[in-house]
Structures are given as C-alpha cells and as structure tokens.
C-alpha cells in the first residue's frame, strides 16, 4: 500500500467588471477588439425567442461586421426552457456548427438566458469564456453577481449547475424599455429586498424616485443597477459558498418561493417575493425588530412598484404552510427565517447565523392573516 | 455609464491523495470516520451494472453498517452510457431519494463511471464532494490524475464536462482480478505509452515483469499503478489546462483515436492506441528520433501485453487518413503528431510545443504499410 499526493494549490483570479450604461453594444465590440477574451474569433450568441429580435440579432450583426465568426443560438423564452434538454440542444447545435474549445459564449437576455448560457459555457469543452449581456432589471439585481449558473429539473429548481464567473457583465439600461411591466416589477421586488436588508439610504432613493425608475429614467435606473450590484457583491464577497452571510439574500424568499410554487407559477418570482417580504416583516415585528410604521413604509413602496402585498384569495393557505418545509433553510425539520431589523439591516442571531427557527404555528398565523 | 469591479482572487487548494493498495474498502470507511469529507452522512454510490455486484454493493453495505445513509445508483456498463441522458437519469434518481447539497458521491468503477460520476458531482448542487474508487488498470493509468470529467454526445467525445477534483482516489489492485483480458490490455496500452514518453526505467520494469503484471501480481501491479500516477501527475502538474506539455499524453492517439472510430469501436481504445503507438514510432524513425531496434522493443512489449501492433486488414485505410483531420491537435487544417525520442522521452520541437506538423502524404504512407 502506498499513498501518492496530488498537490493542486493555486491562486485563481476570477475577477470581472460590470459595466452599467445605456446601449452598450458598440462598447462590447470595442472591448473584444481590445482583447477582452484574448485572441478568440468565434462567438456563440445565446438568447431567447423574445430577445433575439430585440437585441441579440443586432449584436450578432455587429460582431460579423467586425470580422468575427458568429452564430445565433435561440431557445424559447421562459423559465420552462431552463432545462438540461435545452442545454443539450444548444450544445448539439454548437457542435454541429463546429464550435470547439476556442470559442466564447455571449449570453444576451435576462436571468434565464444568463443562468443557462453560463452553465453551458462552464461545461462546454470543460469551460470556455463567457460574457453576460443582461437585458433585465432582475438580471441586474440578481444574476450578474455571484457566479451562480443552473438549470431546473422536474424535481428541483436551480439545483443542477455551477459556480462559473463571466469575463464581463454588461447591464444595458436601454433594454429595460422593452421589458413588460411584470418583469420590471419582478426586478423591483429583489431591488427593494436588497435595500431592506442592507441600505436605508438606497431605500429612501427608491421611495423618492419610484416613478422615474418605472418610466426607465436613465440616471435613476443606472443608480438602481449599481446599488444592486454593490449590495449583492458585498454579501457574496464575504461568503462565496452560501454558508453564512449569503443566507440573507433569502429575505422574503421563505414564504415567497413556496407561494410561487403553490400558485402554480401564476405569481411571478418577484410578485411572490413581494408577498414573502410582508410575511417576513410581520414576523420581524412579532420578534420586536420592526415597527408597524416601518412595515407600512416597505409595503407602500412594494405597492407603488406594482407588486402585490397580500396572498391572493384563491391560494390554498394550508398547502402553502406545508410547502414551506421544502425551503433549503429548513434544518432538522424546523422552519427557519431571515429577519429584517428596521429598514436597511437584518438580524444576526449569532455569529454567522442569519436565520432563526420559527414554529409552524407562528408561520401559519402570519400566513392566515396575510 | 459606470464600471463596477467584482474582485474574486483567491487561493484554491484542490489537492488530494491517491491510495494504491489491495482491497481498500475497509480503509475507505475508516477515512470517512476520520472526517475525509467532514460531517457528511449521506453517500450516493454510483456504479455500473457490472461493478455493482462485484464491489459497489459491498461498499454500500459497509457504509450502512457504519451508520451512514446511502443508496446505490446503477447505470448500464459501457462507454455508450457515458451520456448527458445517463447523467440526468442519475440526478433525477438522487433528487427523488432526497439527496441535496449535503451529500458526497462515491464513484465505484472504471473510467466511464468516474468520468460520469465526477461530472455529476461537479454540477450537483453546484458541486458536492466526490470520491473515486477505481477498479481498473485504465483508471489507474488515465482517469485518476488530471481532474477531467465528461460525457460523450452524438457529435463529440468527452467535450461536455468539467475539471473537477476528487477528495481522494482509491486504486484497488484486488479489483483488477475480475477485469476481462481486453480491459487489462487497454490499461497496458496507456501504461506503455506513459513509459515510452517519460521513463526508460519504467519501460524496463514493464518488459521484465509483464507476465507478473498480467497475472495481477500484487507487488508488480502496485508499482505499475504508482508509476502511472507519478508520470501523469508530472505532466498535468506542469500544465493544468492542456495548453502545452499536456499534449504529450496524446502520444499514439492521433492514429489511435481515428482507428478506434473508423473500426466502429470494434477495436477498444487501448487496442487502437497500441496500433497508433506503432504509427507514431514509424514517424519518429523517419524524423530520426528512433531506431528500428527501439521500435521493435516497444512493439514486442505491446504484443506481449496482448495488444495488436498492426491495422486489421478490413479497415478502410483511406477513411482512416481522412478521419485523422478530426484530431484536436489539427491546426489550420494541418495534421500534427507528438513524437517519441528513443524510449522514455518525447521531442520538444520548440519551447512548449510538443507536436509537429506532418504532411498527409507521410501519414498516408505510414498507414498504408502498417
């Protein structure tokens, strides 16, 4: 018997820039010419059936005009496309077109596109560079920091995937103008969550500028994108592997995710999280961390952003309570919630622990009155 | 417009031990009790339909006897199972049994099992720990160092996958006793390749001990496993991303891989590589790097290991020449070969370049006379 040691200690630098601006297509091409991804000349542009005509085809054209080899790979828009089957279909199309290890993937779209294309990039030829051209507020709030990529399976959301970092992220505010209202609202739910958990100042900005933001005022929206990145980065930087601090990003998501599922996805993720934020704040109030006035303030902002603040009447509340137990924060069969402290902070119950056990009866009471 | 920088520079330690020995099942259990994978109590044992009854079921039983939660996940033996579909099937089975991020995957089997299970581990919950319990000489020679995991697709072999390192590798020599002769021969092809490219001393050991090795003499086989790991590690350590030095692992594979495909996989990978080694040596001789005596010496060892040393008569040699162009070393449409220098060394044509352009006519001549 003998033991042989494989030593693989090394310094890895996955740093990348996020550019926030208005119509960044030309800037992307300039960056490529300046060597953003080295000598690569071949670009697979991955997008969905909606974003294709809006932005992706144009990016493809610009790439071609600059002498790059490129093809557009399109899948049907919607969360239901975020599957292993769509990933395999795109891989096969890329292989058929001769894409090998010397290519770069450009994801053009919202969270579904960047999650799927990022995962694909991370496993194509055991990892090729990828660039994230994000066209939604939700992607700005959620998908552009953290390196999480994934697909859904029949039995689990986002469980099959990778941590894989892009070479650069573009948050193009101009593209938000073509977003449906519900998509903006969905993004605002995560944005307000970020403000609630980390910055009273950002919360006040959102309150004062909500109508500018909803009408996609350039300056207001750029600030929103930047603050979202900063707050999420601050959390992720301190906890890259989702052990401690990262749990606070789950604020409002315990009830939110369960509601999304129980509604049969009739409520969008953002709408469900909005209601989940209210549930979480009612719990925070019971535990003495929030006043009723503060709850009202957040609730007013959520409503102003076009988000629901109570559970629709036709939702089966008992099913909702049962569904809470599939939350990933559940430990030893006990529900756990992240809890807000006033506006702009969360409660750290003990060092590194940001979620507190909650009796089912308490959760049920809050849900019944919501 | 503004740019926000996400800084992600960090030290990553993916080091792991390889234990070479005889019947290591009990040692594996001891290692787990000693905290090899921390506090994890849940183990998904992945194996194929042949290895299941031979070794995997027993490992599952030992785990259960030690109080661990475990299930056996079995797929049909053979390279044709190394697909995205098999991976998805296993993922769904694991999800159904409640496996989440707090599990560890134990791969028990040869290269197909460890490639597939390693890839699955790398994307399950965005990465869970995995342990590689390798039961073939080929796995010892090839699959246990380098961190390469992958599946095949209709259009490409091993192109969809990850670099993902195990927590520990066990090379259990006792399991080689149940290997079919062709499997041992396949492993010997890669073993002899290692010796040819890196160690005259190891080559001499193989020559002198070939019958002991083929009858699975414990001491001789342990030495073979150790030397294989050492040589591959030496190469991989210097070139973790397959840019320069790693190309030498392709020795004999230019013609080998093409022959494997053109034969419709009637020739195993090892058998095809054996013939590819001969082709490569004939080229080395033409270029003045090997004598005919040295070629004879290697050829004799390959034959003694039960491997073919010429192209079967019914192979379409023109098709074989055409197939050479799908080799990944091809650059700008020109064939490139790794070339042996005597026995135990390869030619470095210029710094970091270990493959030389070869005219199709030369390759054709060699193939026609082989």
């Amino acid at each position: 018997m003998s033991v042989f040691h494989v030593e693989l200690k090394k310094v890895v630098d996955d740093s990348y820039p996020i550019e926030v601006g208005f119509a960044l297509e030309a800037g992307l091409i300039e960056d490529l010419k300046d060597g953003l991804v080295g000598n690569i000349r071949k670009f697979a542009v991955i997008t969905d059936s909606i974003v294709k005509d809006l932005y992706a085809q144009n990016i493809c054209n610009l790439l071609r005009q600059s002498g790059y080899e490129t093809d557009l790979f399109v899948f049907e828009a919607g969360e239901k496309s975020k599957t292993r089957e769509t990933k395999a279909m795109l891989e096969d199309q890329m292989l058929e077109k001769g894409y090998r290890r010397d290519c770069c993937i450009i994801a053009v779209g919202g969270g579904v596109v960047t999650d799927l294309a990022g995962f694909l990039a991370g496993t194509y030829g055991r990892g090729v560079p990828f660039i994230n051209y994000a066209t939604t507020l939700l992607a700005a709030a959620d998908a552009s920091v953290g390196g999480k990529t994934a697909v859904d399976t029949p039995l689990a959301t986002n469980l099959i995937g990778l941590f894989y970092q892009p070479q650069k992220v573009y948050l193009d505010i101009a593209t938000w103008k073509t977003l449906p209202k519900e998509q903006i609202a969905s993004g605002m739910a995560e944005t307000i969550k970020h403000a609630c958990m980390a910055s009273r100042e950002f919360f006040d900005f959102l309150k004062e500028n909500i109508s500018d933001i909803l009408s996609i005022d350039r300056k207001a929206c750029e600030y929103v994108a930047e603050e979202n990145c900063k707050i999420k980065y601050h959390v992720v930087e301190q906890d890259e592997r989702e052990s401690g601090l990262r749990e606070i990003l789950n604020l409002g998501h315990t009830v939110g995710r369960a509601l999304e599922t129980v509604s049969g996805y009739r409520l969008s993720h953002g709408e469900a999280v909005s209601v989940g934020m209210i549930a979480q704040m009612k719990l925070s109030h019971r535990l003495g961390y929030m006043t009723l006035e503060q709850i009202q303030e957040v609730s007013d902002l959520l409503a102003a952003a076009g988000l629901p603040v109570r559970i629709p009447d036709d939702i089966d509340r008992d099913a909702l309570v049962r569904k809470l137990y599939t939350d990933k924060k559940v430990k030893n069969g006990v529900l756990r919630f992240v809890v807000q402290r006033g506006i702009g902070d969360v409660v750290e119950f003990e060092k590194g622990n940001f979620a507190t056990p909650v009796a089912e009866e308490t959760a049920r009471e809050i849900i019944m009155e919501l």
Side-chain angles (χ1 to χ4, degrees), chain A:
Chain A
M1 199 205 85
S2 73
V3 177
F4 178 78
H5 287 277
V6 176
E7 295 296 334
L8 290 170
K9 194 171 175 177
K10 63 189 169 183
V11 177
V12 174
D13 190 350
D14 284 335
S15 303
Y16 64 92
I18 301 177
E19 184 167 335
V20 178
F22 210 80
L24 300 169
E25 292 92 343
L28 161 65
I29 305 293
E30 284 313 307
D31 285 344
L32 295 178
K33 287 182 183 165
D34 290 349
L36 175 61
V37 289
N39 293 323
I40 291 175
R41 310 284 312 161
K42 210 165 173 179
F43 294 87
V45 177
I46 296 183
T47 191
D48 70 27
S49 50
I50 292 175
V51 181
K52 170 181 178 277
D53 292 324
L54 291 171
Y55 308 106
Q57 182 65 63
N58 178 40
I59 287 176
C60 246
N61 295 345
L62 292 173
L63 283 165
R64 246 178 237 132
Q65 283 162 27
S66 297
Y68 295 109
E69 233 181 297
T70 181
D71 292 283
L72 201 52
F73 299 90
V74 185
F75 63 88
E76 210 193 317
E79 179 87 19
K80 69 182 179 312
S81 291
K82 214 176 93 172
T83 61
R84 295 170 294 200
E85 290 75 22
T86 306
K87 178 173 179 277
M89 178 199 77
L90 296 169
E91 285 163 352
D92 288 342
Q93 289 176 358
M94 285 178 62
L95 285 165
E96 206 162 321
K97 295 242 182 200
Y99 284 79
R100 288 293 182 273
R101 294 193 178 122
D102 58 345
C103 72
C104 169
I105 287 169
I106 304 180
V108 184
V112 170
V113 176
T114 58
D115 273 15
L116 180 65
F119 183 24
L120 192 153
T123 64
Y124 199 82
R126 300 198 183 88
V128 297
F130 93 105
I131 290 167
N132 185 333
Y133 196 96
T135 62
T136 65
L137 167 57
L138 189 55
D142 208 30
S144 37
V145 177
K148 281 190 176 184
T149 72
V151 293
D152 299 334
T153 65
L155 288 173
T157 306
N158 282 330
L159 203 104
I160 308 297
L162 273 184
F163 284 95
Y164 196 65
Q165 308 293 343
Q167 301 297 305
K168 181 164 178 176
V169 174
Y170 299 86
L171 299 181
D172 182 353
I173 310 293
T175 65
W176 299 4
K177 297 221 181 210
T178 50
L179 284 178
K181 265 204 168 63
E182 314 84 73
Q183 264 279 357
I184 291 284
S186 230
M188 282 307 292
E190 298 285 351
T191 301
I192 293 168
K193 179 200 78 177
H194 277 159
C196 281
M197 74 188 208
S199 170
R200 171 83 222 192
E201 199 189 332
F202 185 36
F203 186 85
D204 289 339
F205 176 87
L206 295 174
K207 258 175 73 175
E208 285 154 30
N209 297 277
I210 186 69
S211 66
D212 275 359
I213 297 167
L214 295 180
S215 58
I216 317 298
D217 170 77
R218 183 172 167 167
K219 227 172 142 182
C221 286
E222 285 190 2
Y223 185 76
V224 167
E226 286 160 23
E227 283 301 301
N228 271 319
C229 290
K230 265 186 215 168
I231 290 170
K232 185 147 188 213
Y233 175 55
H234 178 76
V235 172
V236 169
E237 180 192 30
Q238 287 174 61
D239 183 359
E240 225 207 328
R241 297 301 295 196
E242 194 162 10
S243 41
L245 187 63
R246 202 160 180 158
E247 245 177 10
I248 73 172
L249 296 168
N250 265 281
L251 190 70
H253 280 59
T254 320
V255 171
R257 273 220 202 78
L259 179 57
E260 187 184 4
T261 314
V262 170
S263 80
Y265 297 88
R266 184 166 52 85
L267 267 72
S268 73
H269 182 71
E271 288 168 339
V273 166
S274 176
V275 178
M277 284 292 289
I278 306 283
Q280 166 274 126
M281 290 191 290
K282 283 184 184 288
L283 174 66
S284 304
H285 174 64
R286 281 189 180 219
L287 299 177
Y289 294 111
M290 275 188 100
T291 65
L292 289 174
E293 292 69 32
Q294 289 169 328
I295 297 183
Q296 194 58 50
E297 219 184 327
V298 178
S299 177
D300 287 349
L301 179 57
L302 289 165
L307 289 159
V309 292
R310 51 185 303 280
I311 299 172
D313 287 336
D314 58 339
I315 295 290
D316 178 343
R317 287 167 154 76
D318 286 312
L320 180 53
V321 172
R322 284 194 301 275
K323 192 75 198 165
L324 293 178
Y325 285 93
T326 62
D327 185 63
K328 60 187 171 181
K329 294 190 296 303
V330 167
K331 264 189 195 161
N332 305 318
V334 178
L335 301 174
R336 289 165 70 250
F337 278 71
V338 177
V339 166
Q340 200 172 323
R341 183 198 298 277
I343 295 174
D345 198 9
V346 287
V347 184
E348 185 170 13
F349 293 96
E350 50 189 65
K351 195 159 167 52
N353 180 7
F354 295 88
T356 190
V358 170
E360 178 176 318
E361 211 27 54
T362 308
R364 180 182 299 276
E365 280 171 26
I366 288 170
I367 281 173
M368 289 304 161
E369 70 188 34
L370 194 64

